[in-house]
Amino acid sequence: MRESKIVSRKFGHKESHTLQVARKHGGYSAIDAAFALEATEIIDIIKVSGLRGKGGGGAPVGNKWALMPQDHDGPSYLAVNADESEPGTFKDRQIMAKDPHLLIEGIIITCYAIGAHDAYIYIRGEYYQFQQILQKAIDEAYAEGIIGEKVMGHDYRLDITIHRGAGAYICGEKSALLESMEGKRGHPRLKPQQKEPEWYFGNPTLVNNVETIATVPFIVKKGAKAYRLYGTDSSPGTLLFGLSGHVNRPGIYEAEFGVSMLEYIEQYGGGVKGGKRLKAVIPGGASTPVLTAQEASCVRLDYEDLRVMGSTLGTGGMIVMDEDTCMVSALKNLLEFYHHESCGQCTPCREGTGWVDGIVESLLKGEGTEEDVDRLLDVSQTMNGKTICVFAPAVSGVIDSFVTKFRGEFEAYLKGAR
Amino acid sequence: MSDITITVDGKELTVPRDELLIKILNKNNFAIPQFCYHDALGMDGNCRMCMVEIEGQKRPQIACNTFPKEGMEVRTRG
Ligand SMILES: Cc1cc2nc3c(=O)[nH]c(=O)nc-3n(C[C@H](O)[C@H](O)[C@H](O)COP(=O)(O)O)c2cc1C
Ligand code: SF4
Ligand code: FES
């Protein structure tokens, strides 16, 4: 695997979170290049680069930016999604801790491209420490005239404000995030019938993930082609893939799309811990269907290949499980999380997550019957495609993958089986 | 506003295009469970009980947040 560092390029330097070090290594050098272009030209560059949203959905970023009206009568906003609550995902915090100025640089360019003068960073409450580092970086940027009344001497005002979340996973969903920022309960909104931007207090708003925004300076400075040198045709570029679970070296390692999953786990993670055999991998944060070792050994890390495998790339945060993992307990662990985090608006999700959690609990206690295993699949079916947001369908996909691929383990827990 | 034609469970209906599907179903005696919608209170869209199938749509849709379209084919029973 060749080294491909775009976002994590400065991570290795000492004190890389300070303005001085950031500047020394090329920080903010994309700003002048950006202001030399028209806003629409930047959107075109992003479109051509094929950049896809790195918050889990993988939607084309340029098309989303183009939805922002350039002639809106009133303010437009950028909301940076730093809620990062998906279990197994810890990449955005790496950016905020090690290169917050890269994020600010990306915010400036993005705001200019969509005509926003106010940017908000919605950071999860538990990230207090990272919020402090980020706030310091923002203060430095204000003091140096990088943001504020004039962005680096250009006639453009930009203010950046951090908004702390209060610990709800669902506030990472873009419309729930904006509800929360408006001071309301973090409930996802009903999806509009046609494509349109998000709305913050009735004004058009763009929501992008931290890593997406942090990729923008590279593309604007080096060009769309330079970004396309990495990755595959339909999944261009790189991602801060992550490893957690039973590996020797868990962590975040940037790689280009299209590399082999097994090779990635071997090379960066140092293989499965204790020399054990691999049993399963959850490929992209807890909400993506689990892969068996067999599937993991032949899949490539890009959006298309994981789709072919019946899973999704998600956030790229892989959870590796060795041969001794009990898949029933692993599913229970996830379902407890979902039961707790369902926002409770939609009946199938609010009730369903509780039911499946209860069923798996009774299985683990040895009180389950044969019908319970099928009932899991049945409830899962009711949660798929019938709710306001994709939280419930994601849970459904997780349940289906665990139960169908490891059914033997569920049956081993049936009443009288042990 | 001009009227349009839709079919519900095979039955043809002429309906105003600015009326919510759930109201149309209620008026025409199609039994459709509903919990969070009420004429006087409007639409909330979260109980997910009023789902109907619409020809050409991948997923079932909630009748309380859907407006009829010319030629729309709606199914209320599975
Ligand atoms: C239940 C749920 C949780 C989500 N959590 C996050 C999150 O923590 N961080 C994030 O960036 N996106 C999250 N998303 C995706 C956002 O809704 C949104 O698509 C994303 O922030 C858009 O940015 P991107 O296009 O740059 O990826 C979540 C989505 C759902 C349905
Ligand atoms: S699917 Fe679940 S999390 Fe999403 S809006 Fe409905 S109840 Fe809330
Ligand atoms: S009546 Fe509750 S979702 Fe339509």
Side-chain angles (χ1 to χ4, degrees), chain B residues 22 34-37 45-50 62 64:
Chain B
I22 197 161
Q34 52 206 271
F35 206 47
C36 66
Y37 175 83
N46 52 31
C47 78
R48 318 306 286 183
M49 296 224 294
C50 64
I62 49 174
C64 65

Side-chain angles (χ1 to χ4, degrees), chain A residues 191-367:
Chain A
K191 298 278 167 289
Q193 306 283 331
Q194 63 288 328
K195 288 205 152 141
E196 53 176 80
E198 303 297 321
W199 304 96
Y200 176 53
F201 286 119
N203 290 304
T205 303
L206 173 73
V207 183
N208 268 137
N209 170 258
V210 167
E211 194 190 346
T212 310
I213 299 291
T215 314
V216 169
F218 175 90
I219 299 176
V220 168
K221 196 164 67 178
K222 302 269 170 78
K225 256 205 188 134
Y227 189 64
R228 281 194 170 272
L229 287 180
Y230 300 97
T232 69
D233 260 359
S234 35
S235 304
T238 65
L239 191 72
L240 293 180
F241 289 100
L243 283 172
S244 60
H246 302 137
V247 288
N248 283 311
R249 290 190 301 273
I252 293 289
Y253 311 97
E254 187 167 9
E256 60 182 323
F257 288 109
V259 299
S260 131
M261 177 184 273
L262 206 60
E263 232 177 275
Y264 182 92
I265 296 174
E266 286 299 326
Q267 182 168 331
Y268 292 111
V272 181
K273 216 170 166 179
K276 290 195 190 154
R277 269 187 311 158
L278 181 68
K279 181 182 215 169
V281 181
I282 301 181
S287 305
T288 54
V290 67
L291 299 180
T292 62
Q294 161 52 29
E295 290 166 326
S297 68
C298 55
V299 76
R300 279 178 291 111
L301 292 171
D302 60 50
Y303 293 100
E304 291 69 33
D305 216 41
L306 273 147
R307 187 133 301 256
V308 171
M309 280 289 172
S311 189
T312 49
L313 185 79
T315 61
M318 289 166 254
I319 304 173
V320 179
M321 300 189 247
D322 72 19
E323 53 186 326
D324 293 336
T325 313
C326 166
M327 297 310 276
V328 186
S329 312
L331 180 62
K332 171 74 174 117
N333 180 306
L334 295 174
L335 294 181
E336 254 169 51
F337 172 79
Y338 292 123
H339 183 197
H340 185 259
E341 295 297 341
S342 164
C343 87
Q345 272 194 99
C346 318
T347 314
C349 176
R350 179 186 62 244
E351 303 301 323
T353 49
W355 289 350
V356 287
D357 187 26
I359 294 172
V360 176
E361 180 165 343
S362 72
L363 279 174
L364 280 170
K365 280 193 190 144
E367 291 164 3

Side-chain angles (χ1 to χ4, degrees), chain A residues 187 190-191 193 344-348 350 384-390 393, chain B residues 35 43-49 51 57 59-62 65-67 69:
Chain A
H187 278 178
L190 294 180
K191 298 278 167 289
Q193 306 283 331
Q345 272 194 99
C346 318
T347 314
R350 179 186 62 244
N384 193 3
K386 302 184 181 65
T387 52
I388 295 177
C389 84
V390 294
Chain B
F35 206 47
M43 183 272 292
D44 224 10
N46 52 31
C47 78
R48 318 306 286 183
M49 296 224 294
M51 298 205 113
Q57 301 251 18
R59 303 199 175 90
Q61 304 289 322
I62 49 174
N65 190 35
T66 304
F67 286 98
K69 284 204 181 84

Side-chain angles (χ1 to χ4, degrees), chain A residues 53-57 59 61 64 81 83-86 92 169-170 172-174 207-209 212 389-391:
Chain A
K54 297 182 175 184
V61 174
K64 203 159 122 181
N81 193 340
D83 194 54
E84 190 157 78
S85 322
E86 177 82 7
D92 297 341
Y169 166 65
I170 197 61
E173 200 277 346
K174 52 191 182 246
V207 183
N208 268 137
N209 170 258
T212 310
C389 84
V390 294
F391 178 104

Side-chain angles (χ1 to χ4, degrees), chain A residues 85-204:
Chain A
S85 322
E86 177 82 7
T89 306
F90 45 100
K91 62 191 182 66
D92 297 341
R93 78 172 192 206
Q94 227 68 3
I95 298 170
M96 293 184 279
K98 295 195 170 149
D99 201 353
H101 287 286
L102 181 66
L103 178 60
I104 299 173
E105 191 176 0
I107 290 175
I108 298 173
I109 300 172
T110 309
C111 282
Y112 172 66
I114 62 167
H117 293 278
D118 293 279
Y120 297 92
I121 303 171
Y122 189 100
I123 189 167
R124 69 179 295 196
E126 293 89 334
Y127 277 3
Y128 179 72
Q129 182 193 350
F130 308 108
Q131 181 227 336
Q132 297 290 304
I133 304 173
L134 187 57
Q135 187 61 55
K136 248 192 210 138
I138 292 174
D139 294 344
E140 273 181 305
Y142 267 114
E144 290 289 315
I146 292 168
I147 52 176
E149 271 315 309
K150 276 183 183 294
V151 168
M152 292 178 80
H154 299 279
D155 195 15
Y156 198 89
R157 174 187 72 83
L158 176 64
D159 287 301
I160 303 180
T161 312
I162 298 182
H163 184 108
R164 275 183 76 196
Y169 166 65
I170 197 61
C171 289
E173 200 277 346
K174 52 191 182 246
S175 61
L177 181 149
L178 294 173
E179 285 280 298
S180 168
M181 259 171 47
E182 287 182 4
K184 304 187 207 135
R185 243 194 232 190
H187 278 178
R189 297 170 178 162
L190 294 180
K191 298 278 167 289
Q193 306 283 331
Q194 63 288 328
K195 288 205 152 141
E196 53 176 80
E198 303 297 321
W199 304 96
Y200 176 53
F201 286 119
N203 290 304

